[in-house]
Amino acid sequence: MEQEAWVLFDLDGTLTRSEEGIMNSFRHALRKMEYPEPDEATLRKCIGPPLVWSFQNVAGMTEEQALQAQEYYRERYNTVGLLENRVYPGVRMMLRTLRKAGAHLAVVTGKPSTPTEKILAHFGIRRFFEKVVCATDKSADKELLIRTALPENHGEAWMVGDRRFDMEGGVRAGIHTLGVTYGYGDEEELRESGAGKLARSPREITEILCPEVQPDPGAFLSMEGLDGSGKGTQVDRLRDTLDRFGYEVVLTREPGGSPISEKIRDILLDRENTAMEDVTEALLYAASRAQHVRETIRPAVKAGKVILCDRFLDSSVAYQGGGRQLGVDRILAMNTPAVDGTQPDMTVYLDINHREALRRRCAASVPDRMEMEADSFHARVEEAYHQLIAREPDRFIVVNAAKDREEIAAEIAEQVIRRLTEAEQ
Ligand code: TYD
């Protein structure tokens, strides 16, 4: 791709996956029109093409009925439907990399302007685009929209989309076409309608358009907390949020996170290993980490992915440094060769009192070797975490883990996404 090339993106099925919101809104419109609800496969065909076309061709309505159905559809879609949406994993990095390669980006969509702008703003991806060209009530014709988006005398230009409307529009407007097979159209539809190239993932779009440009590094996030802080649930929730926002997430954990590190984990958590010396334990955590950093964390971050790690070095400082009383500095020194400069960009700490954590732990499951430790052990772990937070307040996002799960998940999502999108600027 030349510098200053234009890359135009369709929205639904190319940048975002809006099937949940779209299908729910179609169902709503059909119910209101007193039409029977079609099966899932038929409903899927309605994603992408102009709405009136779908109501006529898929549901068999007259033009007048289809226009009425479109009103009903919008009534639901513009309020709730449009946020039942996801950005495809890898889209954010693809957009960043294309911008880095010097491309001008635009959105060209058959959706009206209000929901389009709301979706782009909600996911924080509006700023990647110089232009956003949407359908009007008069026209949703892709060729016209493409011509509107492109400046006069533009150089190289590409239309990227997942349906035949995108490919045909691009061909008629005389520009290159790239079909994406992860959306709603299949390979055959895309080829038949003139796709010049095909990509199976957002990552492949970058590889086709600017193979010479290295993506920027991704990010390294960790989550910490006492056993019983609800960390497992919140790690899963954060993973889902990151995924919804278009990050390529790699979920991992310590001890563990690579085949060798997982074997070390088994030794560390084995309830039979009562003879394990504290220093052996600390070195095993460090050894597991050394392998994990090199085999899993660094390669993923380098490739532009987001690592979400359930515990990292802070756990050793808190459990072995504080809990086992080996001392913070000794643990940091042991781990220097293990991490070799690799530290999380941000760390979510689920803040809970050690007594409350113990109460929750006992209610939940049979404890492992570490969890069986005495109350005073966990009190020291908690204390050490608080010291770490005081040392590096900017790295930590401290969340009150006594609150309701949903509230905690929302607070973590808000803070993590804000920091990540700021870092993308
Ligand atoms: P965790 O994965 O939270 O346990 P589970 O999967 O059972 O919820 O962590 C396992 C235990 O290992 C936990 O008690 C904390 C401890 N640990 C350390 O003592 N030091 C470390 O460096 C790490 C990473 C974990």
Side-chain angles (χ1 to χ4, degrees):
M1 184 184 71
E2 353 172 301
Q3 283 257 331
E4 305 290 323
W6 278 83
V7 186
L8 316 181
F9 290 93
D10 164 57
L11 184 66
D12 278 341
T14 304
L15 296 174
T16 56
R17 196 178 90 191
S18 47
E19 62 191 49
E20 203 183 317
I22 292 182
M23 295 207 296
N24 286 342
S25 304
F26 258 101
R27 288 191 184 101
H28 169 85
L30 291 170
R31 253 196 315 277
K32 285 268 206 169
M33 296 295 294
E34 296 181 1
Y35 266 73
E37 185 179 316
D39 58 28
E40 177 112 2
T42 314
L43 269 179
R44 257 172 211 285
K45 294 202 190 109
C46 303
I47 303 172
L51 289 171
V52 174
W53 183 93
S54 294
F55 283 119
Q56 286 179 281
N57 293 278
V58 181
M61 294 183 187
T62 64
E63 191 179 349
E64 198 185 334
Q65 287 171 318
L67 285 167
Q68 176 62 56
Q70 174 172 257
E71 286 303 305
Y72 289 137
Y73 174 95
R74 289 188 178 157
E75 151 188 301
R76 184 180 184 284
Y77 188 78
N78 289 341
T79 50
V80 255
L82 86 160
L83 299 177
E84 295 165 337
N85 212 319
R86 311 186 151 252
V87 180
Y88 284 100
V91 157
R92 296 191 96 86
M93 196 46 84
M94 181 261 293
L95 296 173
R96 257 173 98 172
T97 312
L98 289 175
R99 296 279 297 157
K100 194 172 163 189
H104 301 279
L105 308 183
V107 173
V108 173
T109 172
K111 254 188 200 325
S113 163
T114 311
T116 301
E117 291 288 356
K118 275 195 201 164
I119 292 167
L120 297 175
H122 176 73
F123 289 109
I125 55 173
R126 175 63 180 85
R127 61 188 181 74
F128 289 113
F129 303 104
E130 281 169 51
K131 286 190 188 164
V132 176
V133 178
C134 303
T136 60
D137 279 341
K138 287 192 213 84
S139 171
D141 179 67
K142 274 273 153 111
E143 179 193 350
L144 272 177
L145 298 173
I146 291 170
R147 290 190 189 277
T148 312
L150 289 172
E152 247 178 81
N153 307 320
H154 62 83
E156 184 179 340
W158 288 81
M159 178 65 212
V160 183
D162 69 314
R163 299 300 306 263
R164 72 182 171 86
F165 303 90
D166 306 312
M167 300 301 103
E168 287 166 357
V171 170
R172 284 204 303 269
I175 64 174
H176 298 287
T177 48
L178 195 166
V180 301
T181 58
Y182 57 79
Y184 299 106
D186 57 28
E187 215 174 297
E188 197 186 321
E189 169 180 335
L190 290 163
R191 280 194 200 285
E192 277 174 2
S193 53
K197 300 257 184 212
L198 289 177
R200 280 169 307 214
S201 65
R203 195 168 270 274
E204 274 193 23
I205 300 177
T206 327
E207 282 161 12
I208 292 168
L209 294 180
C210 52
E212 69 293 350
V213 183
Q214 263 291 104
D216 284 337
F220 175 17
L221 319 185
S222 63
M223 195 164 314
E224 297 281 348
L226 296 177
D227 299 287
S229 59
K231 187 169 50 60
T233 311
Q234 295 302 334
V235 164
D236 290 343
R237 296 295 299 268
L238 179 56
R239 183 231 182 109
D240 185 58
T241 301
L242 292 167
D243 196 62
R244 203 174 257 277
F245 272 77
Y247 294 97
E248 250 180 303
V249 189
V250 177
L251 182 61
T252 182
R253 65 172 180 185
E254 287 208 344
S258 77
I260 293 170
S261 311
E262 287 291 331
K263 288 187 184 164
I264 302 175
R265 177 185 175 96
D266 292 341
I267 302 172
L268 279 163
L269 300 184
D270 188 341
R271 290 160 60 98
E272 314 253 296
N273 285 340
T274 47
M276 192 183 296
E277 291 287 334
D278 290 351
V279 69
T280 310
E281 179 185 289
L283 286 166
L284 283 176
Y285 278 114
S288 147
R289 183 163 300 127
Q291 188 66 27
H292 185 212
V293 162
R294 287 158 181 80
E295 200 175 337
T296 310
I297 299 176
R298 281 187 189 154
V301 173
K302 181 161 183 261
K305 299 178 184 174
V306 172
I307 280 276
L308 175 55
C309 190
D310 185 344
R311 299 194 181 280
F312 192 66
L313 173 58
D314 299 320
S315 283
S316 280
V317 174
Y319 283 79
Q320 282 66 52
R324 301 274 188 236
Q325 298 179 290
L326 291 176
V328 168
D329 292 329
R330 217 164 138 211
I331 295 302
L332 288 174
M334 273 183 197
N335 277 276
T336 304
V339 299
D340 185 33
T342 297
Q343 264 282 45
D345 300 300
M346 65 183 107
T347 300
V348 176
Y349 178 67
L350 291 166
D351 194 15
I352 192 166
N353 175 279
H354 65 277
R355 292 236 158 75
E356 170 62 12
L358 173 70
R359 200 188 54 71
R360 288 200 195 173
R361 255 187 345 260
C362 293
S365 61
V366 182
D368 62 35
R369 195 178 64 87
M370 299 300 293
E371 289 172 342
M372 286 182 331
E373 283 299 330
D375 191 42
S376 54
F377 174 89
H378 287 103
R380 288 194 301 272
V381 174
E382 188 188 355
E383 167 61 25
Y385 269 128
H386 286 154
Q387 281 174 19
L388 276 170
I389 294 162
R391 276 196 190 188
E392 285 182 83
D394 292 344
R395 173 161 64 88
F396 283 94
I397 295 171
V398 180
V399 182
N400 178 358
K403 285 200 265 185
D404 163 78
R405 269 181 198 204
E406 295 302 315
E407 251 181 277
I408 299 172
E411 190 178 330
I412 295 174
E414 201 270 318
Q415 298 219 40
V416 169
I417 295 295
R418 187 167 46 74
R419 288 196 195 197
L420 283 177
T421 48
E422 273 168 20
E424 281 169 4
Q425 311 284 331

